[in-house]
Amino acid sequence: MSSLIPSSFFISPPINSSFSSSISKHTPLLSSFSSSPLSLRFPLKTLRSSCSRCSSIRYRRRRRRRRSGLCGDRVLVRAFQKTDEATVTVPNMTITPAIKISDRKLLAKNHTILTAVPDTIITTSASSAGPVEGVFLGAVFDENNSRHVTALGTLKDVRFMACFRFKLWWMAQRMGDSGKDVPLETQFLLVESRDGDDEVTSLYTVFLPLIEGPFRACLQGNAEDELELCLESGDVETKASSFTHALFVMAGTDPFATITSAIKAVKSHLKTFRQRHEKNLPGIVDYFGWCTWDAFYQEVTQEGVEAGLASLTAGGVPPKFVIIDDGWQLTGGDSDDKQPPPLQRLTGIKENQKFQKKDDPSVGIKNIVSIAKEKYGLKYVYVWHAITGYWGGVRPGVEEMKEYGSAMKYPMVSKGVLENEPVWKNDAMAIQGLGLVNPKRAFKFFSDMHSYLAEKGIDGVKVDVQCILETLGGGLGGRVELTRQYHQALDASVSRNFPDNGCIACMSHNTDALYCSKQTAIVRASDDFYPCEPISHTIHIACVAYNSVFLGEFMQPDWDMFHSQHPAAEYHGSARAISGGPLYVSDAPGKHNFELLKKLVLPDGSILRARLPGRPTRDCLFNDPARDGVSLLKIWNMNKYTGVLGVYNCQGAAWNTRERINTFHQTGTDALTSHIRGQDVHLIAEAATDPESWTGDSAVYSHRNNQLVTLPHKAALPVSLKVLEYEVFTVTPIKVLAPGVNFAPLGLIHMFNAGGAIQGLKYEVIHGKSGSVGKVEVQVKGCGVFGAYSFVKPRKATVGSNEVEFTYDSESGLVTLSLDQMPDEIQKFHIVEIEL
């Protein structure tokens, strides 16, 4: 498979033998060592001895460091506060890491995270994964087995946020303060510990349960407040007893940077996946789209697809991509017996009769693709399929499908998933089984289907039901091996057939898949949008935000479709606008709220997409905005020159740990109040044109209230919201051009993500005989009302070469002017100049 992405991207260099000998020559205490990680301690004064070949020495007492270039290679020396010992770090060799086990305690930079750590827990330095201060944890067991559970230590007196699987397919968030609160199937754990009450002293420790060989790890808690490590192969014949790299732990003072660094270290170790920023995002992320699912479910037809496209286009919000969801494939059941209804299985790789042209069936699905692109101007058409072909897999014995070697398999769900989702035992897949394509023929299966679709003009696929693979590994080397084979095949086929990297991962929230994802760049962030389930809407917003903390390191999270004509439409729509991911609806034809959609979509079908995955603000990471009755959820994201901050009341419903379903619960008050600050946008300084001179003051514009305020550095603005209410704020660093001359562009203020319209920004001060003049040039994408903050009334405003009228509110400093039309295709942006 020549199209497979290479399995190795980052390779740590081996220890240089000449480096080894030169160190031993100049530092006798290092006279012998192997390439394996080890720790050495020796008096600091030994390292202070002079060497003719070394020009400097680096050591650190607390935060002070010096460098030593022993023989041209770097050696770090650290002196610690309570000992006259030092630490040396050389390639592939770590001594006294920031994360360590001492006196049966897991210490992270002198913060105690776990106590009563068992002797069976072993540590392995992460130095071979790059220059990081993390550690791998493992365990040794008495006998070989396909499933192991061991305590890691006692977790108490901290705050944590866990991403755990409450269903086989999906994760959700859970907060707590001790081990007993950690749910089964936890795949990501972020722990906050403090020296005092001040957030500045907080340390954030990341726990990442990993893949080791054919085993996949997860975390869980028990009634004794112990944090446990669970390791499973998913195959009774695939056994082991010793693990060295089952869990990675890293700590830092910036939670988001620490998570990214931890994932990077794991990537360097596993060499089986790539991070989000290393992948090519498909073009759909920058356009508005429509999905057929909630409009038609499996009854979708090509006539229905055209009706939906026509309806949206006529309203002035033309979709530029469509996802033809479940309902286009050739499927059939095993028998005509309707009790119970037979599970449908794939019987062919082509489209069913609904998507064939009546007068020329050979045209197939190309007919609706041509209509979409040629008549309605769509850029992309995607279709849905399961990773196993269909919900029931590929039907064995079908003549056209024999070459794929499908065989019946019955899912074996892991204990943790089954306890979280007990209804799985009655699922049709569990009872009727699934036709699994021979993993050695998975590439041919995918490529045959995808090449046929690509020939018909299809640009990408939404690949669903992905977590089912973990249940089918029995007799095939286990869950990890089966998942790896299928994902390598899928990546190779997508690479060969869809050059825009057209693939969306769905129902895929297991680490088996995440840690082998090299190509797929979009992942559905949570369980579905359920238009007819009132309990689901607040849960959905909280879920996508917290899941994105973890998922966003691997792919761009997709916060799912929604209905524009719905009681919670603005609640959902505003969140999609700041998510950084795809933006699409699943409206039935003729059922649209165009006023809402025009806050999301420009007249050409493009959107103002934020640059990163939307995530909870730092001060919300460990609050529980769905359950605690007091917290609002704040979500931050970045544009080029502004930040965006969404605030949501998500209280009143959550996943119930006892009943194992989503339930309503009583909220304590009608409206909740929180506060926002400019610095809630975590990387807001990066939006300043000159970050080093920025004072920290921001202009903040509220979308719903249409109000502009200026917030000095660390000042706060109160926000009060009822359940299912929201507010979106555009946050822009204020530029001081001269004393009393302050400015901050906001963007297209009638759009949810107003600042996403600003594509270029330049400040200039011109000094003349009559005084100084400040000039601001802003490149603006789209059309509508452009807004900005100015401390003084502008002298004039121009768009292109034309001077235009503007309004100025002296009380707030809000400047507005109208951009009536889209910029031409060649220029792409309006050039707005403000003279101050």
Side-chain angles (χ1 to χ4, degrees):
M1 286 186 277
S2 60
S3 58
L4 278 172
I5 298 174
S7 61
S8 178
F9 295 95
F10 299 88
I11 302 175
S12 300
I15 289 183
N16 184 294
S17 58
S18 62
F19 174 48
S20 173
S21 61
S22 63
I23 284 192
S24 62
K25 180 178 180 180
H26 293 276
T27 311
L29 288 175
L30 296 179
S31 60
S32 64
F33 61 89
S34 68
S35 60
S36 59
L38 79 163
S39 298
L40 298 175
R41 287 178 177 269
F42 43 85
L44 181 62
K45 61 184 179 181
T46 304
L47 292 175
R48 291 174 178 162
S49 60
S50 62
C51 169
S52 60
R53 296 180 59 188
C54 302
S55 59
S56 63
I57 296 175
R58 181 179 183 180
Y59 68 95
R60 180 180 70 182
R61 286 192 182 274
R62 295 187 180 179
R63 296 185 179 179
R64 291 191 306 153
R65 294 185 176 183
R66 296 177 185 169
R67 272 188 178 165
S68 173
L70 288 177
C71 308
D73 292 281
R74 185 175 68 176
V75 176
L76 300 186
V77 183
R78 297 187 185 131
F80 290 89
Q81 181 177 0
K82 295 184 180 180
T83 178
D84 195 30
E85 292 181 333
T87 296
V88 174
T89 302
V90 296
N92 288 351
M93 178 177 167
T94 298
I95 299 132
T96 322
I99 311 292
K100 62 182 179 180
I101 295 176
S102 178
D103 297 327
R104 298 191 64 197
K105 296 177 183 178
L106 179 68
L107 302 175
K109 299 189 177 183
N110 296 323
H111 287 232
T112 298
I113 309 300
L114 298 176
T115 59
V117 177
D119 294 334
T120 53
I121 301 302
I122 58 177
T123 63
T124 302
S125 167
S127 64
S128 61
V132 297
E133 294 184 330
V135 68
F136 292 98
L137 299 185
V140 178
F141 298 91
D142 293 335
E143 60 183 22
N144 284 338
N145 213 326
S146 61
R147 186 176 188 270
H148 296 281
V149 177
T150 182
L152 294 168
T154 301
L155 181 68
K156 283 186 176 181
D157 302 323
V158 296
R159 297 200 301 169
F160 73 76
M161 188 274 285
C163 291
F164 76 103
R165 285 196 298 166
F166 72 107
K167 293 182 179 180
L168 173 65
W169 324 106
W170 304 114
M171 291 192 299
Q173 78 283 357
R174 183 69 178 175
M175 288 70 173
D177 56 18
S178 59
K180 65 177 179 296
D181 300 324
V182 179
L184 298 165
E185 280 292 315
T186 290
Q187 301 187 123
F188 169 86
L189 185 67
L190 181 64
V191 175
E192 180 195 52
S193 54
R194 294 184 178 184
D195 282 338
D197 294 331
D198 188 356
E199 188 180 271
V200 175
T201 66
S202 292
L203 185 73
Y204 302 94
T205 304
V206 183
F207 289 79
L208 297 174
L210 303 178
I211 304 299
E212 184 168 358
F215 281 75
R216 173 260 188 184
C218 64
L219 298 170
Q220 60 194 40
N222 64 29
E224 285 72 44
D225 282 327
E226 290 177 316
L227 182 65
E228 294 181 334
L229 179 69
C230 176
L231 296 131
E232 297 172 294
S233 72
D235 177 21
V236 294
E237 299 301 321
T238 301
K239 302 177 180 180
S241 61
S242 179
F243 303 88
T244 58
H245 292 74
L247 177 69
F248 183 68
V249 185
M250 187 175 180
T253 55
D254 180 331
F256 302 107
T258 301
I259 294 166
T260 299
S261 296
I263 296 292
K264 181 179 180 181
V266 169
K267 177 192 67 179
S268 296
H269 163 66
L270 291 176
K271 299 180 175 65
T272 55
F273 70 96
R274 292 195 294 170
Q275 290 176 271
R276 170 184 49 81
H277 64 271
E278 299 171 307
K279 298 177 179 179
N280 294 322
L281 278 174
I284 63 170
V285 296
D286 291 314
Y287 294 95
F288 171 61
W290 177 61
C291 180
T292 63
W293 180 241
D294 289 316
F296 299 107
Y297 297 109
Q298 292 167 327
E299 303 306 313
V300 63
T301 64
Q302 56 184 335
E303 293 79 13
V305 173
E306 183 174 3
L309 299 178
S311 181
L312 286 164
T313 302
V317 282
K320 293 300 174 181
F321 73 89
V322 64
I323 301 173
I324 302 174
D325 214 292
D326 188 2
W328 68 273
Q329 294 170 286
L330 282 168
T331 62
D334 293 337
S335 69
D336 295 329
D337 185 5
K338 301 297 183 183
Q339 298 294 331
L343 184 63
Q344 296 293 293
R345 310 189 197 283
L346 195 67
T347 58
I349 62 171
K350 297 182 179 181
E351 68 286 314
N352 58 34
Q353 190 174 7
K354 294 184 296 178
F355 283 85
Q356 293 174 354
K357 194 174 182 181
K358 293 180 181 178
D359 56 352
D360 187 1
S362 65
V363 175
I365 201 169
K366 186 175 182 178
N367 183 55
I368 187 59
V369 173
S370 297
I371 291 172
K373 292 183 177 181
E374 296 170 11
K375 186 175 180 179
Y376 296 100
L378 269 73
K379 293 178 176 289
Y380 309 98
V381 178
Y382 280 38
V383 296
W384 175 100
H385 71 76
I387 200 164
T388 51
Y390 201 68
W391 295 99
V394 172
R395 185 176 177 182
V398 177
E399 187 64 32
E400 309 91 276
M401 308 293 278
K402 279 187 176 180
E403 61 182 316
Y404 307 123
S406 176
M408 289 302 296
K409 296 277 291 183
Y410 288 82
M412 297 296 293
V413 180
S414 66
K415 182 179 179 181
V417 169
L418 196 57
E419 289 195 30
N420 282 348
E421 192 182 12
V423 296
W424 230 101
K425 64 185 70 173
N426 299 319
D427 190 273
M429 289 189 214
I431 296 170
Q432 299 182 43
L434 184 146
L436 183 69
V437 167
N438 185 325
K440 294 180 179 179
R441 302 180 190 176
F443 172 71
K444 179 170 178 53
F445 170 63
F446 287 136
S447 192
D448 286 354
M449 178 165 53
H450 293 166
S451 63
Y452 173 79
L453 292 169
E455 181 186 341
K456 300 298 183 181
I458 297 296
D459 303 286
V461 286
K462 173 183 173 183
V463 183
D464 215 339
V465 203
Q466 293 194 16
C467 286
I468 196 63
L469 294 174
E470 73 176 60
T471 72
L472 304 172
L476 296 170
R479 56 187 289 172
V480 173
E481 176 62 17
L482 180 62
T483 300
R484 182 189 62 80
Q485 289 179 290
Y486 260 74
H487 277 275
Q488 283 187 345
L490 178 64
D491 281 356
S493 179
V494 169
S495 177
R496 175 174 293 182
N497 296 293
F498 303 125
D500 190 48
N501 198 23
C503 187
I504 302 172
C506 192
M507 300 177 78
S508 58
H509 286 190
N510 62 2
T511 46
D512 311 55
L514 290 174
Y515 286 127
C516 70
S517 170
K518 283 195 170 182
Q519 181 155 322
T520 303
I522 300 178
V523 59
R524 268 280 308 280
S526 77
D527 201 351
D528 292 7
F529 164 75
Y530 293 110
C532 299
E533 295 185 14
I535 198 172
S536 69
H537 302 300
T538 55
I539 292 174
H540 187 100
I541 301 304
C543 228
V544 292
Y546 284 98
N547 284 348
S548 292
V549 173
F550 181 43
L551 294 175
E553 297 297 329
F554 301 88
M555 305 177 221
Q556 179 61 54
D558 167 6
W559 289 15
D560 202 15
M561 63 197 92
F562 70 102
H563 277 180
S564 70
Q565 194 174 91
H566 188 277
E570 288 216 1
Y571 190 76
H572 280 283
S574 63
R576 304 310 190 274
I578 66 173
S579 71
L583 198 160
Y584 56 113
V585 295
S586 53
D587 297 349
K591 296 182 178 179
H592 315 291
N593 180 342
F594 290 113
E595 182 181 354
L596 167 61
L597 290 175
K598 289 177 181 179
K599 298 177 182 181
L600 296 160
V601 187
L602 295 172
D604 64 353
S606 64
I607 62 172
L608 304 179
R609 186 173 68 87
R611 302 174 68 195
L612 301 172
R615 287 162 287 179
T617 58
R618 179 172 178 157
D619 60 341
C620 285
L621 283 171
F622 305 98
N623 297 338
D624 193 341
R627 297 178 178 88
D628 66 14
V630 297
S631 300
L632 297 178
L633 171 61
K634 297 185 289 183
I635 301 169
W636 71 275
N637 210 327
M638 288 290 296
N639 301 304
K640 287 184 178 180
Y641 298 99
T642 71
V644 61
L645 192 63
V647 187
Y648 296 83
N649 188 326
C650 301
Q651 298 287 344
W655 188 75
N656 190 308
T657 56
R658 294 181 180 179
E659 299 183 34
R660 308 293 182 182
I661 57 173
N662 288 328
T663 59
F664 285 113
H665 55 262
Q666 186 65 39
T667 54
T669 182
D670 191 25
L672 299 178
T673 299
S674 184
H675 294 80
I676 67 161
R677 297 171 174 83
Q679 285 66 33
D680 284 341
V681 179
H682 191 69
L683 299 176
I684 188 61
E686 293 184 6
T689 55
D690 187 2
E692 293 184 0
S693 64
W694 178 48
T695 63
D697 299 347
S698 300
V700 178
Y701 185 83
S702 61
H703 177 83
R704 290 182 66 198
N705 292 331
N706 299 314
Q707 292 181 347
L708 173 64
V709 299
T710 55
L711 282 183
H713 182 53
K714 295 188 178 181
L717 178 70
V719 183
S720 295
L721 299 171
K722 297 180 181 179
V723 172
L724 279 174
E725 287 187 341
Y726 76 96
E727 181 59 278
V728 175
F729 298 91
T730 297
V731 182
T732 308
I734 294 175
K735 173 70 172 181
V736 179
L737 285 84
V741 183
N742 304 341
F743 192 88
L746 302 170
L748 297 178
I749 58 176
H750 290 170
M751 305 288 284
F752 282 123
N753 184 24
I758 302 173
Q759 300 297 304
L761 177 61
K762 184 168 63 175
Y763 293 101
E764 184 180 10
V765 178
I766 301 173
H767 301 286
K769 293 181 180 180
S770 58
S772 299
V773 176
K775 285 191 175 182
V776 184
E777 180 183 293
V778 189
Q779 295 180 353
V780 183
K781 173 184 176 180
C783 59
V785 178
F786 172 79
Y789 161 74
S790 179
F791 185 74
V792 296
K793 183 178 180 179
R795 299 180 182 186
K796 69 175 182 178
T798 60
V799 177
S801 58
N802 301 315
E803 186 170 344
V804 297
E805 294 183 355
F806 64 89
T807 63
Y808 179 73
D809 179 45
S810 59
E811 185 174 344
S812 67
L814 179 63
V815 180
T816 59
L817 57 86
S818 182
L819 301 174
D820 296 326
Q821 297 179 338
M822 292 287 290
D824 61 54
E825 293 185 6
I826 297 176
Q827 191 174 13
K828 295 185 179 180
F829 311 117
H830 291 293
I831 305 299
V832 177
E833 288 191 358
I834 309 290
E835 185 176 304
L836 303 172

